[in-house]
Amino acid sequence: MSKSTSNKAVPSTTHGYEFGGPLGTFALTILLPFACYLTTFLCNDSSGCPIPSLLHPSTLTLQRLKEDAGWPKEGILGLVKIPVAIAVLDYYALSILLQAVLPGEEVEGVELRSGGKLKYKFNAFNSALFVLSAAVAGTFVQGSDFFLWTYIWDNYTAIMTTNIIIAFVLATYVYVRSFSVKPGNSEHRELAAGGYSGNLVYDWFIGRELNPRIDIPAIGTIDIKAFCELRPGLLGWILLDLAFVAHQYKIHGFVSDSIMLITLFQSVYVFDALWMESAILTTIDITTDGFGFMLAFGDLAWLPFIYSIQTRYLAVHPVQLGLTGTIGVLAVQGFGYYVFRGANNEKNRFRTNPNDPRVSHLQYIETKSGSKLLTSGWWGTARHINYLGDWIMAWSYCLPTGIAGYLIQRSAPGSSAVGESPADGSIFGGAPVGTKVVQGEARGWGMLITYFYIFYFAVLLIHREMRDEEKCSKKYGKDWEEYKKKVPWRILPGVY
């Protein structure tokens, strides 16, 4: 490796600030975990979704808010449970072990700025099948009482807290370790241009090192970013969904079509990503973004716990869609997936093998840097058409919750009727109390939580598109301006 090439391990220029710079990233570091806790405590199975006290703000008190939300008696310390933390760490250890011992595909990444390519072992699909096969076997034997499903439901908040803590620790570890990156290193370690601003808070959030890796004895090399992108969080998302399905059956005695649809859609999305695991090597997360709190928290905490809000809601308040509703939701999901997967497959095939008969006919602009920008096919309709498919699919995750909102009503001991279930027991001791889930005055207000994902995801995709545009403009210069003339729309053709 020549000196001029190896020195590129440290970028010669840095990008401007994103997310509002140091102040904005500091605020997000506080607000994002706070949002996770808000959705957990303000939509629960003990008082309602949203909790009753929020429906009467004029009489709201802190004590009533804490009671309705189910805030731990121990305060903030009650959010953490050491045995649960150990169990979550065991889950991460299992993920690492499965990556090491199961067969997988050996793939080279794209060429790095400093020259050379990193090697990756991909077997996340096989790993997920292993874990889910064990879960299926346990469910076959124990049904909805299988310990994994009850453990997740009973310790949901502590599991989420542990993942949040892991994200903070991991972001700090890779930030500190990034200062050992030296020009000319033989491991192809690089700093990310976007995370090399010199501001501690900002670089810690964005990610200072591009592809941090760690060597584990008897295991081998683990690419931390690729591992987090497709392993603990994605599979955890599906495990949460399945735990919520099991809880609905345990409490209500049936599984609703709405929760089955969402779980099916999200499982297809996850397993599609795992099956196409090597496709992440051409994404901006891998090629451009450093690994810091933004990706660590997003992969390990935000994705599994925010994206599963709808199934957690339906576990308590089942919604039956019927044939017409099911067909409508299926149509939305099918169209969104068609756009999303079609666009991503087209781009990946063209980048890896432009002579592939499926993409060789596509028109493109060749830039001065040698890159080819598609101007026909999916990518001729909009510069980020895949984001549209992703957003359409988001609707199919939320629509099955209907006009959301419920309240938990408790009654004296007695036989359970339709819509009621026996609680474990009265808080005063003695015979169990009956609980009934009704919509009442909460009807519609729950949509602020169950449909939150749609609005958040729209903001996320537009912001990501704006980041993509800025980076591409800097990278391709006048060629990008010419490309925009041929493909004028950003995400939604004819609108935006």
Side-chain angles (χ1 to χ4, degrees):
M1 183 183 297
S2 67
K3 183 177 180 180
S4 61
T5 301
S6 63
N7 282 342
K8 292 182 179 178
V10 179
S12 56
T13 60
T14 62
H15 294 181
Y17 283 140
E18 298 178 281
F19 299 102
L23 288 178
T25 52
F26 177 77
L28 287 173
T29 301
I30 304 300
L31 293 176
L32 291 177
F34 185 66
C36 289
Y37 286 113
L38 279 182
T39 60
T40 299
F41 286 108
L42 301 187
C43 179
N44 60 47
D45 64 331
S46 60
S47 62
C49 181
I51 58 176
S53 53
L54 291 182
L55 301 176
H56 303 280
S58 61
T59 59
L60 181 64
T61 65
L62 180 60
Q63 183 60 33
R64 176 70 187 281
L65 183 66
K66 292 168 66 174
E67 291 175 358
D68 285 354
W71 183 250
K73 294 180 180 179
E74 307 86 348
I76 194 170
L77 294 179
L79 300 176
V80 182
K81 295 180 180 178
I82 299 302
V84 174
I86 293 174
V88 173
L89 290 174
D90 287 342
Y91 168 68
Y92 277 75
L94 175 63
S95 297
I96 293 173
L97 180 63
L98 292 177
Q99 179 174 353
V101 301
L102 292 181
E105 179 185 15
E106 300 284 345
V107 180
E108 284 190 337
V110 299
E111 186 170 352
L112 299 167
R113 182 182 63 247
S114 57
K117 298 179 180 180
L118 294 173
K119 293 183 179 180
Y120 297 82
K121 179 183 179 181
F122 288 136
N123 64 3
F125 186 85
N126 295 335
S127 300
L129 286 182
F130 179 89
V131 173
L132 290 176
S133 295
V136 168
T139 305
F140 180 78
V141 174
Q142 296 183 315
S144 59
D145 288 321
F146 179 46
F147 82 93
L148 177 61
W149 309 138
T150 57
Y151 192 86
I152 289 175
W153 183 267
D154 294 340
N155 298 284
Y156 176 85
T157 304
I159 293 172
M160 183 178 70
T161 299
T162 302
N163 280 276
I164 292 173
I165 293 173
I166 290 174
F168 273 92
V169 172
L170 196 55
T172 302
Y173 168 76
V174 295
Y175 174 79
V176 172
R177 190 170 177 268
S178 71
F179 287 93
S180 65
V181 175
K182 303 297 181 184
N185 69 82
S186 59
E187 296 88 6
H188 301 304
R189 295 179 65 194
E190 293 184 3
L191 298 182
Y196 188 59
S197 70
N199 182 277
L200 187 154
V201 173
Y202 182 82
D203 292 348
W204 173 85
F205 181 90
I206 293 293
R208 196 168 183 273
E209 186 170 353
L210 183 62
N211 295 299
R213 295 184 158 205
I214 185 172
D215 293 321
I216 303 176
I219 295 294
T221 300
I222 299 294
D223 187 289
I224 297 175
K225 188 201 294 187
F227 175 82
C228 291
E229 283 273 317
L230 288 171
R231 287 180 181 270
L234 269 183
L235 179 57
W237 179 12
I238 300 307
L239 290 175
L240 288 172
D241 279 350
L242 294 175
F244 301 151
V245 171
H247 185 78
Q248 185 189 80
Y249 181 80
K250 181 178 180 179
I251 297 301
H252 298 281
F254 64 90
V255 177
S256 65
D257 51 13
S258 55
I259 200 171
M260 286 299 294
L261 275 180
I262 296 176
T263 302
L264 173 64
F265 295 158
Q266 295 182 346
S267 297
V268 169
Y269 183 91
V270 168
F271 275 94
D272 176 77
L274 299 180
W275 180 256
M276 304 291 294
E277 188 175 9
S278 60
I280 69 168
L281 295 179
T282 58
T283 63
I284 193 171
D285 285 357
I286 298 295
T287 63
T288 305
D289 289 339
F291 184 79
F293 182 76
M294 178 179 70
L295 287 181
F297 180 82
D299 292 339
L300 306 179
W302 186 266
L303 182 146
F305 294 96
I306 292 297
Y307 288 24
S308 60
I309 285 175
Q310 295 80 20
T311 50
R312 183 165 63 86
Y313 170 88
L314 292 170
V316 180
H317 182 251
V319 173
Q320 293 290 7
L321 299 174
L323 180 60
T324 302
T326 298
I327 292 175
V329 173
L330 283 171
V332 173
Q333 167 68 13
F335 179 65
Y337 183 77
Y338 169 69
V339 175
F340 173 80
R341 180 45 57 199
N344 282 335
N345 279 350
E346 184 180 82
K347 177 182 69 173
N348 191 53
R349 287 169 182 151
F350 187 78
R351 284 183 173 179
T352 54
N353 181 17
N355 296 319
D356 188 318
R358 290 170 291 185
V359 295
S360 59
H361 65 284
L362 296 175
Q363 299 175 2
Y364 59 86
I365 291 176
E366 185 162 1
T367 67
K368 293 181 177 62
S369 64
S371 300
K372 297 176 180 178
L373 305 176
L374 289 170
T375 58
S376 65
W378 281 111
W379 300 92
T381 60
R383 301 195 293 273
H384 309 276
I385 188 65
N386 56 327
Y387 292 167
L388 176 62
D390 225 352
W391 191 66
I392 292 173
M393 283 191 290
W395 280 89
S396 67
Y397 301 164
C398 302
L399 288 172
T401 64
I403 303 176
Y406 63 78
L407 297 172
I408 305 294
Q409 293 183 346
R410 303 187 184 280
S411 60
S415 59
S416 297
V418 177
E420 298 181 358
S421 61
D424 292 335
S426 168
I427 59 175
F428 303 108
V433 298
T435 62
K436 186 176 182 180
V437 182
V438 300
Q439 288 205 284
E441 60 182 345
R443 177 179 169 83
W445 290 107
M447 296 174 70
L448 295 173
I449 296 174
T450 64
Y451 286 76
F452 165 75
Y453 175 69
I454 290 177
F455 299 103
Y456 144 76
F457 205 47
V459 173
L460 172 72
L461 293 176
I462 291 174
H463 180 265
R464 180 176 292 179
E465 171 266 324
M466 293 172 67
R467 294 179 68 215
D468 293 347
E469 289 282 320
E470 182 181 358
K471 290 176 180 178
C472 289
S473 180
K474 291 179 179 178
K475 181 178 181 179
Y476 300 120
K478 293 182 179 179
D479 290 326
W480 186 253
E481 296 304 316
E482 182 64 26
Y483 171 65
K484 290 197 295 183
K485 293 178 181 178
K486 292 182 175 291
V487 186
W489 301 108
R490 294 170 176 256
I491 296 178
L492 182 59
V495 178
Y496 176 74

